[in-house]
Amino acid sequence: MKIMNPKALKTIGWIATFTAMLMYISYFPQIINNIHGDKSGFLQPAVAAINCILWVSYGFFQKKKDWPIVVANLLGVIFGAIAAITAL
């Protein structure tokens, strides 16, 4: 099996990071609605936040830090937690 060009693989990693960040930023309207009393479910964003904590830990505590994973999932920790908390 041929291994992908390292530069192309790094580019894919950062594109995936950007799209993951957009996914977690999309919680913002839900947070605003929660704050204004139009509550949504808390379970999905809470589980997303927990999952992101695990991915941030995985990427950060590697011998060679995996920054795309850390950066992408850090927003998931923040916005997932805020969405879950404001839904309560």
Side-chain angles (χ1 to χ4, degrees):
M1 184 167 94
K2 185 177 179 183
I3 298 175
M4 185 180 281
N5 173 324
K7 186 174 180 181
L9 193 58
K10 186 173 184 174
T11 300
I12 290 171
W14 283 108
I15 291 170
T17 297
F18 178 72
T19 58
M21 291 169 68
L22 290 176
M23 179 174 57
Y24 297 123
I25 290 169
S26 70
Y27 278 127
F28 194 71
Q30 180 179 346
I31 294 166
I32 297 298
N33 288 341
N34 288 340
I35 290 170
H36 287 98
D38 186 16
K39 302 287 185 176
S40 60
F42 102 100
L43 186 59
Q44 193 279 333
V47 172
I50 292 166
N51 180 55
C52 290
I53 288 169
L54 295 171
W55 278 112
V56 167
S57 299
Y58 172 83
F60 188 77
F61 292 111
Q62 298 265 352
K63 189 171 189 176
K64 182 176 185 247
K65 294 183 182 356
D66 194 335
W67 289 112
I69 288 177
V70 171
V71 171
N73 287 285
L74 192 57
L75 284 181
V77 173
I78 295 166
F79 285 115
I82 292 172
I85 291 166
T86 58
L88 295 175

